Amino acid sequence: QVQLVESGGGLVQAGGSLRLSCAASGRTGSSYAMGWFRQAPGKEREFVSAISRSGAVTDYGDSVKGRFTISRDNAEITTVYLQMSSLKPEDTAVYYCAAAGATFVYSVYRRTYDYRYWGQGTQVTVSS
């Protein structure tokens, strides 16, 4: 069992930056590939970014590529970060952290059903 707690959301003006954090406790967090997804009202959950167990491999959705950066710290408690820059009003959504059991250290996943554990989400609002 892995518990995920997101933090760092808030209100920011267009063009600004925010950094989201996700703390993974419970079973060894470093055993899991991690991902960020987002969901805006009335829309499906969308892939944002993913990072492998080791942190060596990352992946980004087309809408955030070049603006967002994912990273992780595999300390006693694994923490995953999402640095968001050049934010746009269309980035407004609830952002969710997720953990996927990964056999291979370089695997990353884009599909929601690859992820077993989910956080409660943190709201990001970008004003124009």
Side-chain angles (χ1 to χ4, degrees), residues 9-127:
L11 174 65
V12 64
Q13 288 189 333
S17 299
L18 277 177
R19 189 177 81 157
L20 305 183
S21 300
C22 172
S25 60
R27 290 188 63 183
T28 308
S30 60
S31 299
Y32 294 84
M34 304 294 290
W36 286 97
F37 291 77
R38 66 188 182 186
Q39 188 165 18
K43 294 188 177 182
E44 293 187 352
R45 194 163 294 192
E46 174 190 16
F47 169 74
V48 175
S49 184
I51 189 165
S52 62
R53 284 171 51 188
S54 66
V57 179
T58 59
D59 189 19
Y60 297 92
D62 289 341
S63 62
V64 307
K65 199 171 294 183
R67 299 187 298 121
F68 291 10
T69 303
I70 191 171
S71 61
R72 69 186 293 162
D73 177 6
N74 288 335
E76 184 173 343
I77 294 179
T78 292
T79 304
V80 180
Y81 304 97
L82 185 69
Q83 178 67 47
M84 306 185 295
S85 303
S86 302
L87 283 162
K88 306 174 181 180
E90 51 264 44
D91 293 318
T92 295
V94 176
Y95 283 70
Y96 297 92
C97 175
T103 302
F104 301 106
V105 297
Y106 300 119
S107 297
V108 289
Y109 305 97
R110 286 184 164 226
R111 300 168 298 189
T112 56
Y113 58 77
D114 286 320
Y115 290 85
R116 182 173 182 181
Y117 302 103
W118 292 82
Q120 293 299 307
T122 184
Q123 176 70 47
V124 172
T125 303
V126 184
S127 63

